[in-house]
Amino acid sequence: MTNAADRPAPTWRQALGAYRDPRVVTMFFMGISAGLPLILVFTTLSVWLRDVGVSRTAIGFFSWVAATYGFKFLWSPLVDRLQLPQPLGRLGRRRSWILLAILGVIAGLIGMALTDPKSDLWQMALFAFVVAFSSATQDIALDAFRIESAPEHMQGATAGAYQAGYMLAVKIVGGALALYLAEYIDWGTAYAVMAAFMLIGIVTILIRPEPTAARTEATDELLAKIQAAAGLRGGRQTALTGIATWFSTAVIGPFTEFFTRNGSWTLLILLLIGVYRLSDITLGVMAGPFYIDLGFSKTEIANATKLFGLFAAIGGALFGGFVVARVGVLPALMTAALTVIATNLLFGFMALIQTDSFWLLTTIVSADSIAAGMAGSAFIAYLSSLTNVQYTATQYALLTSIMLLPGKLVAGFSGVVVDAAGYVLFFAYASALGAPAVILILVLVRLERLGIIRRKRNGKEEAAGDAAARPAPGSA
């Protein structure tokens, strides 16, 4: 077998051509479905709460609702292995779970639309939790759907398209449009309209085919060893042993396989995943309140951070996919991490001069959007390269949970930091949180160049470059 490192990197024409593939186009629309509920329980909700007078400290703690995304690994084995009953089950395992989750998001958004946070903040938190839980469930199934729908050499393109749709939802639909509706009508109407936009995900998943389930010989052998060690092979099968067998397949197998495959370097990889998004997640909680406190109107916020930032965000996402294809995941991760640190410092500069310049805000937010898009595409491609196709949903949920939990935990105290030290030191603090990721990437790059770490995926050894960089067979 030819090593991935011996294969030529795709040309820019080949990288661009991948974005015409129906599987890649599908991920653009599903990116909208994934990004919309997250922004509605995160930044947009923070603006809503601040607009009606909720304290910054309370808003910071309220962001812990979104920490639900960080615990999705707890129920990911169910989504990965459990077949839903009819009639949903006819769609297939991945699509049926995605559809059920979207319906849950719609129900939660309608509940938020009918709630007044000034009089019932706890009820708002409850419906926000429903949205977050349903959205996290959608992410579990959708990530598996994305990885299983396209070969490894297309993972950079699917990640880029997914991020582009995600940014469209974040910047325009759940961002600018929601703020416009809140400004000229009311917040309840805004969230009701957002619920209607979730129909995009329903239509898309209904017209696309279910991906083919994959199996690998190495994974089957490992699973057989686990079940044999637990005494589940041979002998009379009872209801209890049936449950134990399912548990070993759905829960123990994915985690054991991941740690076995990555060996002694597993903790280093997980540490990088845990700290990579600390900086931008922490900044994101206080971004909305920062704009409000500087005196910008909701319309100005929508124009600067959402409308003008859209092309920057999509461009950053697509460029991130190109960089992954051309130079590999780790160099792309490094470039994006440094860019995020730099753009976060720009917010500190704006806080220092205390300006209400609309165009300065637009410039800084556009730079931040480019950085976020690049980081998102590179990071999605990296996480995808670490999963085994036989346990896609469970392993990817584990990795994204490790990424989200530290960020959400730290971000919950962002309001406390602002109240105690001010915005200037807060943005410096948020930038500093990006330094550990840079250091860990340098370590991993060094270890891979020395040949100490050689990535293995699905039982096959790959070079440090990455599978995402492979050209499509027969591509021009």
Side-chain angles (χ1 to χ4, degrees), residues 96-461:
S96 61
W97 274 105
I98 293 173
L99 179 58
L100 179 63
I102 293 176
L103 293 176
V105 169
I106 292 174
L109 290 176
I110 292 175
M112 294 177 71
L114 298 175
T115 301
D116 181 1
K118 290 186 295 184
S119 59
D120 202 338
L121 194 60
W122 283 107
Q123 181 172 304
M124 177 63 77
L126 175 62
F127 283 122
F129 173 78
V130 171
V131 173
F133 180 82
S134 300
S135 176
T137 303
Q138 178 190 209
D139 287 351
I140 295 170
L142 183 54
D143 288 330
F145 181 91
R146 172 180 55 80
I147 296 171
E148 294 170 2
S149 293
E152 292 182 24
H153 70 267
M154 293 181 64
Q155 290 300 320
T158 56
Y162 176 85
Q163 276 292 102
Y166 184 96
M167 289 297 179
L168 178 63
V170 168
K171 299 293 183 181
I172 295 298
V173 185
L177 180 58
L179 292 174
Y180 286 145
L181 291 171
E183 178 80 5
Y184 296 109
I185 306 178
D186 57 58
W187 282 105
T189 300
Y191 270 67
V193 172
M194 295 302 103
F197 267 96
M198 290 301 298
L199 293 174
I200 292 175
I202 291 179
V203 172
T204 302
I205 208 64
L206 287 177
I207 64 178
R208 291 300 299 160
E210 177 80 358
T212 303
R215 299 191 66 84
T216 62
E217 182 178 346
T219 304
D220 287 340
E221 291 176 357
L222 176 62
L223 181 60
K225 292 179 181 178
I226 294 172
Q227 293 179 349
L232 300 175
R233 291 271 172 166
R236 188 170 63 89
Q237 292 295 307
T238 64
L240 183 60
T241 57
I243 294 174
T245 300
W246 182 90
F247 185 82
S248 67
T249 302
V251 181
I252 298 177
F255 299 124
T256 302
E257 191 279 335
F258 181 83
F259 280 85
T260 300
R261 172 161 44 93
N262 291 289
S264 59
W265 301 107
T266 301
L267 293 181
L268 185 64
I269 294 171
L270 295 181
L271 185 59
L272 170 60
I273 294 171
V275 302
Y276 189 75
R277 301 302 297 271
L278 273 180
S279 182
D280 52 341
I281 291 176
T282 300
L283 183 142
V285 176
M286 284 295 113
F290 174 60
Y291 307 144
I292 292 289
D293 290 343
L294 280 182
F296 292 104
S297 69
K298 291 188 288 294
T299 299
E300 288 176 321
I301 295 172
N303 288 336
T305 68
K306 312 301 180 184
L307 188 58
F308 284 96
L310 172 65
F311 294 106
I314 293 179
L318 297 179
F319 182 69
F322 294 155
V323 174
V324 168
R326 293 288 293 171
V327 302
V329 169
L330 288 179
L333 283 176
M334 173 63 77
T335 302
L338 293 174
T339 307
V340 167
I341 291 174
T343 54
N344 284 356
L345 288 174
L346 292 177
F347 284 101
F349 169 74
M350 189 170 187
L352 180 65
I353 64 176
Q354 286 290 303
T355 179
D356 59 355
S357 169
F358 171 78
W359 292 111
L360 180 59
L361 176 65
T362 300
T363 301
I364 292 176
V365 169
S366 295
D368 180 66
S369 298
I370 292 174
M374 290 175 58
S377 293
F379 202 53
I380 288 173
Y382 180 61
L383 297 186
S384 300
S385 74
L386 295 174
T387 63
N388 183 310
V389 292
Q390 195 159 325
Y391 297 125
T392 312
T394 302
Q395 289 185 347
Y396 197 90
L398 171 66
L399 298 178
T400 52
S401 294
I402 292 172
M403 177 269 289
L404 285 169
L405 277 175
K408 295 300 182 184
L409 178 62
V410 173
F413 295 99
S414 57
V416 176
V417 176
V418 172
D419 286 339
Y423 280 114
V424 175
L425 290 180
F426 167 74
F427 289 125
Y429 155 76
S431 297
L433 289 176
V438 172
I439 295 172
L440 288 170
I441 293 170
L442 288 173
V443 172
L444 284 173
V445 169
R446 180 64 175 169
L447 290 174
E448 289 192 346
R449 286 179 177 175
L450 292 174
I452 297 174
I453 293 180
R454 295 183 67 84
R455 188 176 306 157
K456 292 182 179 180
R457 187 167 189 255
N458 308 329
K460 299 176 182 178
E461 189 173 88

Side-chain angles (χ1 to χ4, degrees), residues 33-111:
S33 183
L36 186 55
L38 177 60
I39 193 67
L40 294 175
V41 296
F42 195 51
T43 306
T44 301
L45 181 57
S46 294
V47 175
W48 182 358
L49 297 177
R50 188 59 178 163
D51 188 44
V52 298
V54 177
S55 71
R56 289 187 294 261
T57 297
I59 293 172
F61 291 137
F62 207 91
S63 71
W64 282 341
V65 171
T68 305
Y69 292 88
F71 289 98
K72 61 186 178 182
F73 70 93
L74 295 176
W75 65 96
S76 62
L78 287 175
V79 179
D80 204 359
R81 292 286 169 175
L82 183 63
Q83 181 74 44
L84 291 177
Q86 304 296 347
L88 281 177
R90 295 176 184 174
L91 296 175
R93 187 171 49 184
R94 303 306 185 202
R95 294 196 302 155
S96 61
W97 274 105
I98 293 173
L99 179 58
L100 179 63
I102 293 176
L103 293 176
V105 169
I106 292 174
L109 290 176
I110 292 175

